[in-house]
Amino acid sequence: MKILITGGAGQIAYSLIPLLLSGAIFTNIKIDLLLLDIEPCMDKLEGVKMEIEDSNFKFLNSLTITSDLKTAFSDIDLAILLGGFPRLPGMERKDLLEKNLEIFKVQGEALNNYAKKTVKVLVVANPVNTNCWIANHFSPSIPNENFTSYSYLDQERLSFLLQKEYNAPNQKNIVVWGNHSSTMVPDTSYCEKDIKLTSDNIQFIQNRGASVIEKRKLSSAMSAANGISKHLKKWYYGSNDEIVSFGVFSKGYYNFPEGIFISMPVKTHSEFSYNIVNNLKINDSTRALID
Ligand code: LMR
């Protein structure tokens, strides 16, 4: 599998690459890995390359580092778009919009011009759903369904909270509705255990990313990479009838505007396919938060 990671010299990539190349995501698949970053980061990327080589990873087939879009995007099967201006303390994710618009425009064009038409794209850089929309918009030759945006970290946060606060480990069918921002709506209505989230719980999930930044002075990286690995695993191998939440191209279900990317319930199947679960009954308090 030919996989591109953008923001290759960044901190999420640093946590993600070992998972990818040790078989923790794709089992038994050799990987041609391309790492893209901007020219000023090439030295750092060279250092990352040295460490990858020194790790002697079992599933690495070839490794390319580059700042050239054509080299990075040509014939890829999967693009993991991590690269973008990072959120700093006191910023909302939407404050990054202007800074990241140009990046996702040129990367969308590069996907359109150089990638396989079957390429799958996972957008992680914030504001994640908008960046995904931009990349998708500028690559009209690639199907909308091939693009997903990242929401899995919020599910993992919620899953841990259920375990810690409600003694409810391993809950399935956790849903996170809406935008990956301080307005996202975590929802446990479809879990096995009947759990009513308090407004404190909801705010905890909504603000967890900011809380991490406040303490680390850097945004989540280890947990982000962990969630990416779970997203990719579920997308490629299937969720086994479990509902998971992905940011996907909206078809208008649940009154979300058509054509935006938004986190909603999906079931995934093998080889990067999914369907939106469009028949859940949303309770009134959750609906009010979504609206
Ligand atoms: C997160 O939720 O931790 C990430 O989206 C990083 C951020 O800006 O909060």
Side-chain angles (χ1 to χ4, degrees):
M1 197 185 294
K2 195 166 180 182
I3 302 180
L4 164 66
I5 298 179
T6 70
Q11 50 151 1
I12 301 181
Y14 198 76
S15 291
L16 179 63
I17 290 165
L19 298 174
L20 192 60
L21 296 180
S22 61
I25 302 176
F26 303 114
T27 16
N28 269 324
I29 296 179
K30 289 273 187 185
I31 292 170
D32 294 309
L33 183 63
L34 297 116
L35 300 176
L36 173 77
D37 219 309
I38 51 175
E39 191 53 43
C41 292
M42 278 304 114
D43 250 8
K44 198 170 170 198
L45 198 53
E46 187 68 45
V48 173
K49 177 173 186 248
M50 288 157 70
E51 281 207 71
I52 292 173
E53 289 168 352
D54 295 350
S55 301
N56 197 18
F57 286 115
K58 188 167 172 200
F59 294 105
L60 179 66
N61 194 49
S62 70
L63 176 61
T64 307
I65 62 169
T66 184
S67 59
D68 174 60
L69 287 171
K70 185 168 183 193
T71 308
F73 282 84
S74 288
D75 298 323
I76 51 170
D77 299 294
L78 172 66
I80 307 170
L81 304 184
L82 307 178
F85 190 88
R87 177 155 80 125
L88 302 171
M91 291 171 89
E92 281 294 326
R93 295 181 185 94
K94 65 183 177 193
D95 297 333
L96 305 171
L97 188 50
E98 249 175 275
K99 292 189 163 55
N100 287 335
L101 165 65
E102 188 57 26
I103 298 176
F104 282 85
K105 177 175 182 287
V106 295
Q107 291 184 357
E109 288 165 349
L111 282 165
N112 197 51
N113 293 337
Y114 309 128
K116 284 184 185 160
K117 296 303 168 203
T118 53
V119 67
K120 304 297 181 299
V121 183
L122 168 60
V123 179
V124 176
N126 282 313
V128 61
N129 293 308
T130 314
N131 288 341
C132 191
W133 184 89
I134 296 166
N136 173 258
H137 179 78
F138 286 100
S139 50
S141 64
I142 297 164
N144 298 329
E145 288 72 27
N146 293 20
F147 287 76
T148 61
S149 47
Y150 184 50
S151 165
Y152 222 98
L153 177 53
D154 303 314
Q155 291 163 73
E156 291 295 309
R157 287 170 171 158
L158 185 49
S159 182
F160 187 74
L161 182 136
L162 297 182
Q163 178 180 326
K164 201 170 112 192
E165 302 280 323
Y166 295 88
N167 195 21
N170 306 319
Q171 290 300 304
K172 292 190 166 41
N173 304 325
I174 287 174
V175 178
V176 177
W177 300 95
N179 203 8
H180 176 63
S181 73
S182 48
T183 58
M184 73 179 88
V185 183
D187 185 359
T188 52
S189 315
Y190 318 102
C191 295
E192 199 173 82
K193 193 161 171 170
D194 186 22
I195 295 164
K196 178 123 187 51
L197 293 176
T198 64
S199 57
D200 277 0
N201 295 151
I202 292 173
Q203 280 169 25
F204 174 86
I205 302 298
Q206 290 173 330
N207 297 314
R208 184 65 162 181
S211 308
V212 171
I213 294 172
E214 213 47 55
K215 294 291 180 196
R216 263 176 37 91
K217 312 294 178 228
L218 290 170
S219 54
S220 317
M222 186 205 310
S223 56
N226 175 64
I228 292 166
S229 83
K230 291 191 176 161
H231 178 117
L232 290 173
K233 219 171 168 166
K234 285 271 155 67
W235 198 11
Y236 188 69
Y237 292 106
S239 64
N240 211 1
D241 216 36
E242 179 189 352
I243 295 172
V244 293
S245 297
F246 278 14
V248 292
F249 186 87
S250 168
K251 296 183 172 168
Y253 303 136
Y254 303 108
N255 286 340
F256 285 118
E258 231 174 302
I260 61 170
F261 279 83
I262 198 88
S263 177
M264 59 175 94
V266 301
K267 285 186 181 174
T268 55
H269 313 290
S270 63
E271 307 246 347
F272 292 122
S273 60
Y274 68 82
N275 68 282
I276 298 174
V277 179
N278 62 3
N279 58 355
L280 296 180
K281 200 171 159 6
I282 302 177
N283 69 43
D284 291 347
S285 59
T286 302
R287 184 74 245 181
L289 288 172
I290 292 173
D291 289 344

